[in-house]
Amino acid sequence: SRDSRHKRRATGGRMPVHKKKRNFEMGKQATHTKLGARKLIYIKGRGANYKPRALRIDVGNFTWASQAIAKKTRVIDVVYNATNRELVKTKTLVKNSIISIDANPFKAYYLQHYGVELGKKKEEEVQKPKQSK
């Protein structure tokens, strides 16, 4: 719940409840967003507003912190989740899950900005095979 009336004092004692529960303090059920074609539902918010909730999604906005850029790109797979392995099996997208994304927008930025193509081996490495000892 989104209230603080259920909490205890710093000493461990119970706090007296001085008002009833309010509707705006209610939480919402978890969405469990899956990986797939985009599907949204709209949830009523405060005022006359509606919030979109994603049931399925396959693209996202990702940042490359060292380059200080953000690009919209495709989500390929959910790789790891420290919370629960079931979230990896069902491909559920949650905060702090490790995912693999399509790197092409970032590669294109790097090529345009620095003139270096990422993911390509140098000509020297390609031409001469490794010598065994």
Side-chain angles (χ1 to χ4, degrees), residues 117-130:
E117 196 164 350
L118 292 176
K120 292 275 186 176
K121 294 196 175 192
K122 295 178 183 171
E123 287 122 24
E124 306 153 7
E125 294 175 10
V126 174
Q127 288 174 355
K128 62 178 180 182
K130 295 196 176 193

Side-chain angles (χ1 to χ4, degrees), residues 45-87:
R46 298 245 329 163
N49 299 311
Y50 284 87
K51 286 183 174 183
R53 282 275 172 91
L55 295 181
R56 288 194 309 259
I57 204 156
D58 59 349
V59 293
N61 207 28
F62 298 96
T63 60
W64 189 355
S66 63
Q67 297 296 321
I69 59 161
K71 297 284 181 187
K72 186 177 182 180
T73 184
R74 197 167 50 93
V75 179
I76 296 169
D77 195 15
V78 179
V79 179
Y80 177 74
N81 195 317
T83 311
N84 192 345
R85 282 176 51 202
E86 189 69 24
L87 298 176

Side-chain angles (χ1 to χ4, degrees), residues 4-16:
S4 59
R5 287 196 305 273
H6 68 283
K7 294 190 174 182
R8 289 177 175 259
R9 290 190 165 116
T11 59
R14 297 286 303 262
M15 293 284 284

